[in-house]
């Protein structure tokens, strides 16, 4: 059994059945024995980008996460403090939160973002 945190783009690719999400990544997400997490940071990022007109995505992500059988991952004060303490290899605050949550919760981060290699975080390719 694997415990996987989806990067925002991986979550969106899954929802849209986007071919950018690789075959192996799809198999991992679809495997019922795996626990798939979606961070509140991803929902926050999606909501902001939708409002700015930079992204089209479904509404009611909370229910979609539950319907997909994914596990919502909240942000707590420890996560917030640790995200602020990360080295500045990556300046995206949402990605910094995902890095910290992966580290703190013992999750593997599914992403196609090469910047994560600068941090002590386990990753799986989303492509």
């Amino acid at each position: 059994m694997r415990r996987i945190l989806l990067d925002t783009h991986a979550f969106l690719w899954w929802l849209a059945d986007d071919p950018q999400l690789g075959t192996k990544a799809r198999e991992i997400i679809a495997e019922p024995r795996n626990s798939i997490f979606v961070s509140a940071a991803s929902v926050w990022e999606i909501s902001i980008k939708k409002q700015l007109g930079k992204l089209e995505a479904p509404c009611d992500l909370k229910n979609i996460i539950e319907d997909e059988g994914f596990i919502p991952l909240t942000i707590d004060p420890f996560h917030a403090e640790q995200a602020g303490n990360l080295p500045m290899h990556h300046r995206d605050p949402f990605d910094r939160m995902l890095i910290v949550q992966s580290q703190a919760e013992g999750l593997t981060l599914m992403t196609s973002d090469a910047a994560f290699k600068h941090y002590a975080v386990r990753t799986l390719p989303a492509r």
Side-chain angles (χ1 to χ4, degrees), residues 23-98:
T23 303
K24 182 67 176 167
R26 284 181 194 284
E27 291 171 359
I28 291 168
I29 295 170
E31 171 55 58
R33 292 177 296 199
N34 292 334
S35 298
I36 307 299
F37 294 79
V38 177
S39 173
S42 291
V43 176
W44 183 17
E45 179 180 17
I46 292 166
S47 297
I48 288 172
K49 289 183 177 179
K50 279 177 59 177
Q51 183 179 25
L52 294 173
K54 294 182 176 184
L55 177 68
E56 288 188 27
C59 296
D60 199 17
L61 291 172
K62 179 185 179 299
N63 285 329
I64 290 171
I65 290 167
E66 292 172 6
D67 291 347
E68 291 291 328
F70 298 158
I71 303 163
L73 181 59
T74 60
I75 297 170
D76 68 27
F78 177 79
H79 296 143
E81 185 172 39
Q82 292 305 306
N85 291 331
L86 282 176
M88 293 304 286
H89 302 301
H90 201 333
R91 296 193 177 272
D92 183 309
F94 302 109
D95 287 343
R96 292 171 64 82
M97 181 58 66
L98 296 178

Side-chain angles (χ1 to χ4, degrees), residues 55 101-102:
L55 177 68
Q101 287 182 308
S102 293

